[in-house]
Amino acid sequence: MLNHLIALYVPARLSENVTVHSIDARHSSLQIIVGGGLECIARGDWQVYLNAETQTTGASNVRAVQLLHDTGLDLPVTGNAVFLGREGLNHDTDVPDYLIRRAEALFDTRLIQPAA
């Protein structure tokens, strides 16, 4: 069963745009997006999915690092990052609007959100 949610996608490559769009948020699909096994960092009402294998190697995802720093977390990030909302311990939801607004301000871009 598909699990479509609105996500904030922060690619590792600076040549790719940060986007907000509907994704299939099943763990198998998230593994494809991040390129490997999942690591999840949870904070309040949101979480970020990262590739667990690349967190010790590879070039830094400077935009994801900036966004995490802006939320109070100073963590190294390599590879693609997918931000989603969080409800309870194990329930993914749409990424919170305030996190999208923070990304827009940090990256000086307008992130188009799909119509509900």
PDB file of all heavy atoms in Angstrom, residues 6 20-21 27 32 34 52-53 65 85 88-89 106 110:
ATOM      1  N   ILE A   6       3.802  14.612   2.056  1.00  0.00           N
ATOM      2  CA  ILE A   6       4.546  15.775   1.587  1.00  0.00           C
ATOM      3  C   ILE A   6       5.880  15.798   2.328  1.00  0.00           C
ATOM      4  O   ILE A   6       5.911  15.798   3.560  1.00  0.00           O
ATOM      5  CB  ILE A   6       3.778  17.089   1.832  1.00  0.00           C
ATOM      6  CG1 ILE A   6       2.386  17.025   1.212  1.00  0.00           C
ATOM      7  CG2 ILE A   6       4.578  18.278   1.308  1.00  0.00           C
ATOM      8  CD1 ILE A   6       2.364  16.761  -0.274  1.00  0.00           C
ATOM      9  N   VAL A  20       9.904  20.447  -2.352  1.00  0.00           N
ATOM     10  CA  VAL A  20       8.825  19.952  -1.505  1.00  0.00           C
ATOM     11  C   VAL A  20       7.846  19.269  -2.446  1.00  0.00           C
ATOM     12  O   VAL A  20       7.363  19.888  -3.394  1.00  0.00           O
ATOM     13  CB  VAL A  20       8.121  21.101  -0.751  1.00  0.00           C
ATOM     14  CG1 VAL A  20       6.892  20.586  -0.022  1.00  0.00           C
ATOM     15  CG2 VAL A  20       9.075  21.764   0.217  1.00  0.00           C
ATOM     16  N   HIS A  21       7.620  17.987  -2.210  1.00  0.00           N
ATOM     17  CA  HIS A  21       6.683  17.274  -3.065  1.00  0.00           C
ATOM     18  C   HIS A  21       6.192  16.004  -2.380  1.00  0.00           C
ATOM     19  O   HIS A  21       6.726  15.585  -1.353  1.00  0.00           O
ATOM     20  CB  HIS A  21       7.308  16.952  -4.431  1.00  0.00           C
ATOM     21  CG  HIS A  21       8.541  16.130  -4.360  1.00  0.00           C
ATOM     22  ND1 HIS A  21       9.787  16.659  -4.141  1.00  0.00           N
ATOM     23  CD2 HIS A  21       8.734  14.798  -4.473  1.00  0.00           C
ATOM     24  CE1 HIS A  21      10.693  15.698  -4.122  1.00  0.00           C
ATOM     25  NE2 HIS A  21      10.080  14.569  -4.316  1.00  0.00           N
ATOM     26  N   HIS A  27       9.316   2.750   3.891  1.00  0.00           N
ATOM     27  CA  HIS A  27      10.752   2.674   4.149  1.00  0.00           C
ATOM     28  C   HIS A  27      11.525   2.157   2.940  1.00  0.00           C
ATOM     29  O   HIS A  27      12.626   2.623   2.667  1.00  0.00           O
ATOM     30  CB  HIS A  27      11.037   1.847   5.396  1.00  0.00           C
ATOM     31  CG  HIS A  27      10.796   2.630   6.651  1.00  0.00           C
ATOM     32  ND1 HIS A  27      11.416   2.359   7.826  1.00  0.00           N
ATOM     33  CD2 HIS A  27      10.008   3.702   6.903  1.00  0.00           C
ATOM     34  CE1 HIS A  27      11.026   3.215   8.751  1.00  0.00           C
ATOM     35  NE2 HIS A  27      10.165   4.034   8.213  1.00  0.00           N
ATOM     36  N   ILE A  32      15.470   3.995  -1.382  1.00  0.00           N
ATOM     37  CA  ILE A  32      15.855   4.312  -2.764  1.00  0.00           C
ATOM     38  C   ILE A  32      16.238   5.784  -2.863  1.00  0.00           C
ATOM     39  O   ILE A  32      17.249   6.137  -3.478  1.00  0.00           O
ATOM     40  CB  ILE A  32      14.721   3.958  -3.735  1.00  0.00           C
ATOM     41  CG1 ILE A  32      14.539   2.433  -3.783  1.00  0.00           C
ATOM     42  CG2 ILE A  32      15.008   4.521  -5.134  1.00  0.00           C
ATOM     43  CD1 ILE A  32      13.287   1.982  -4.488  1.00  0.00           C
ATOM     44  N   VAL A  34      17.350   7.867  -0.498  1.00  0.00           N
ATOM     45  CA  VAL A  34      18.604   8.198   0.190  1.00  0.00           C
ATOM     46  C   VAL A  34      19.764   7.322  -0.262  1.00  0.00           C
ATOM     47  O   VAL A  34      20.910   7.594   0.070  1.00  0.00           O
ATOM     48  CB  VAL A  34      18.470   8.162   1.734  1.00  0.00           C
ATOM     49  CG1 VAL A  34      17.390   9.116   2.209  1.00  0.00           C
ATOM     50  CG2 VAL A  34      18.257   6.769   2.256  1.00  0.00           C
ATOM     51  N   ALA A  52      22.239   5.574   6.208  1.00  0.00           N
ATOM     52  CA  ALA A  52      23.041   5.179   7.367  1.00  0.00           C
ATOM     53  C   ALA A  52      24.481   4.847   6.997  1.00  0.00           C
ATOM     54  O   ALA A  52      25.397   5.082   7.784  1.00  0.00           O
ATOM     55  CB  ALA A  52      22.402   3.976   8.062  1.00  0.00           C
ATOM     56  N   GLU A  53      24.698   4.337   5.795  1.00  0.00           N
ATOM     57  CA  GLU A  53      26.045   3.932   5.402  1.00  0.00           C
ATOM     58  C   GLU A  53      26.940   5.102   5.030  1.00  0.00           C
ATOM     59  O   GLU A  53      28.150   4.996   5.093  1.00  0.00           O
ATOM     60  CB  GLU A  53      25.997   2.952   4.222  1.00  0.00           C
ATOM     61  CG  GLU A  53      25.496   1.569   4.602  1.00  0.00           C
ATOM     62  CD  GLU A  53      24.011   1.404   4.392  1.00  0.00           C
ATOM     63  OE1 GLU A  53      23.453   2.005   3.450  1.00  0.00           O
ATOM     64  OE2 GLU A  53      23.383   0.681   5.175  1.00  0.00           O
ATOM     65  N   VAL A  65      22.883  20.185   6.573  1.00  0.00           N
ATOM     66  CA  VAL A  65      23.607  20.572   7.788  1.00  0.00           C
ATOM     67  C   VAL A  65      23.135  21.943   8.263  1.00  0.00           C
ATOM     68  O   VAL A  65      22.891  22.148   9.462  1.00  0.00           O
ATOM     69  CB  VAL A  65      25.137  20.557   7.555  1.00  0.00           C
ATOM     70  CG1 VAL A  65      25.880  21.215   8.712  1.00  0.00           C
ATOM     71  CG2 VAL A  65      25.631  19.137   7.350  1.00  0.00           C
ATOM     72  N   GLY A  85       7.190  14.899   8.629  1.00  0.00           N
ATOM     73  CA  GLY A  85       6.602  15.150   9.936  1.00  0.00           C
ATOM     74  C   GLY A  85       6.595  13.863  10.748  1.00  0.00           C
ATOM     75  O   GLY A  85       6.856  12.771  10.240  1.00  0.00           O
ATOM     76  N   GLY A  88       3.756  10.687  17.233  1.00  0.00           N
ATOM     77  CA  GLY A  88       4.019   9.507  18.056  1.00  0.00           C
ATOM     78  C   GLY A  88       5.415   8.972  17.795  1.00  0.00           C
ATOM     79  O   GLY A  88       6.289   9.671  17.294  1.00  0.00           O
ATOM     80  N   LEU A  89       5.621   7.710  18.089  1.00  0.00           N
ATOM     81  CA  LEU A  89       6.953   7.125  17.943  1.00  0.00           C
ATOM     82  C   LEU A  89       7.239   6.618  16.535  1.00  0.00           C
ATOM     83  O   LEU A  89       8.373   6.650  16.088  1.00  0.00           O
ATOM     84  CB  LEU A  89       7.143   5.976  18.940  1.00  0.00           C
ATOM     85  CG  LEU A  89       7.168   6.382  20.405  1.00  0.00           C
ATOM     86  CD1 LEU A  89       7.287   5.149  21.291  1.00  0.00           C
ATOM     87  CD2 LEU A  89       8.316   7.346  20.674  1.00  0.00           C
ATOM     88  N   LEU A 106      16.502  30.012   4.621  1.00  0.00           N
ATOM     89  CA  LEU A 106      17.919  29.652   4.596  1.00  0.00           C
ATOM     90  C   LEU A 106      18.489  29.604   3.187  1.00  0.00           C
ATOM     91  O   LEU A 106      19.607  30.039   2.943  1.00  0.00           O
ATOM     92  CB  LEU A 106      18.137  28.284   5.245  1.00  0.00           C
ATOM     93  CG  LEU A 106      18.263  28.241   6.748  1.00  0.00           C
ATOM     94  CD1 LEU A 106      18.343  26.793   7.217  1.00  0.00           C
ATOM     95  CD2 LEU A 106      19.485  29.002   7.221  1.00  0.00           C
ATOM     96  N   ARG A 110      11.812  29.878  -3.061  1.00  0.00           N
ATOM     97  CA  ARG A 110      10.404  29.567  -2.801  1.00  0.00           C
ATOM     98  C   ARG A 110      10.184  28.098  -3.112  1.00  0.00           C
ATOM     99  O   ARG A 110      10.474  27.652  -4.221  1.00  0.00           O
ATOM    100  CB  ARG A 110       9.497  30.434  -3.679  1.00  0.00           C
ATOM    101  CG  ARG A 110       8.037  30.148  -3.533  1.00  0.00           C
ATOM    102  CD  ARG A 110       7.511  30.723  -2.234  1.00  0.00           C
ATOM    103  NE  ARG A 110       6.073  30.475  -2.178  1.00  0.00           N
ATOM    104  CZ  ARG A 110       5.474  29.894  -1.155  1.00  0.00           C
ATOM    105  NH1 ARG A 110       6.151  29.554  -0.095  1.00  0.00           N
ATOM    106  NH2 ARG A 110       4.187  29.673  -1.160  1.00  0.00           N
TER     107      ARG A 110
END
